[in-house]
Amino acid sequence: MLTNCDDPALKAKLDETASVALLKAVAEAAKVTGVALRLAPEASYLELAGTTPVAGHPNRALMKVFPIGPGRCAAFFYKRSQVPFSRDRFAYGAVIAEEARFTAQAAEAWFRWLDSGFHPEQAPEGLKRAFAFTVPD
């Protein structure tokens, strides 16, 4: 479930991303999941954040979903740098999703890993540590 449903910018973000079928499917899955997530309306494409504290600290895990070609999207898992002026990201990997093979169960695995703060034993199937595309800001 999206915890920031009251945010008026959220509807605009969902409308903006609805033109890409996979982004719309991921957003729809995020709305109905049992995992509490926050959607960042100011980010490019879809950026979801875990909300459950990890080891007593705020969850810093983020997932950005963006198109990488016709009918394909990447779900990129990362954490931002804790250095205030840095734009660095610590990458945990990416999953490539194809429109024809996408399932809500796959997205649910992404959401659970995000919510865990990227616990190594909960990594989603198909996670790639190396990829040949640029991740947008």
Side-chain angles (χ1 to χ4, degrees):
M1 88 191 103
L2 296 176
T3 60
N4 58 334
C5 287
D6 302 349
D7 187 343
L10 187 69
K11 182 178 177 350
K13 172 53 80 175
L14 294 174
D15 290 344
E16 171 191 326
T17 57
S19 62
V20 179
L22 268 170
L23 294 181
K24 183 177 181 178
V26 172
E28 292 299 321
K31 286 181 191 176
V32 298
T33 184
V35 178
L37 302 169
R38 188 184 63 76
L39 179 67
E42 70 282 354
S44 62
Y45 302 104
L46 283 181
E47 186 174 275
L48 296 163
T51 60
T52 303
V54 178
H57 300 285
N59 191 338
R60 295 178 38 240
L62 297 165
M63 176 180 75
K64 181 178 284 284
V65 186
F66 56 94
I68 57 172
R72 297 177 70 201
C73 281
F76 174 64
F77 302 93
Y78 70 103
K79 291 180 182 174
R80 287 192 184 99
S81 172
Q82 291 187 323
V83 177
F85 56 84
S86 176
R87 292 182 48 224
D88 292 341
R89 297 175 283 197
F90 184 81
Y92 284 75
V95 174
I96 308 303
E98 294 185 19
E99 192 174 331
R101 296 186 200 156
F102 177 78
T103 64
Q105 292 81 11
E108 186 70 23
W110 304 347
F111 302 152
R112 294 204 179 285
W113 194 44
L114 183 64
D115 193 52
S116 76
F118 303 142
H119 191 285
E121 294 175 5
Q122 295 181 9
E125 192 174 315
L127 185 70
K128 297 181 183 314
R129 304 286 181 178
F131 34 86
F133 50 81
T134 301
V135 178
D137 284 333

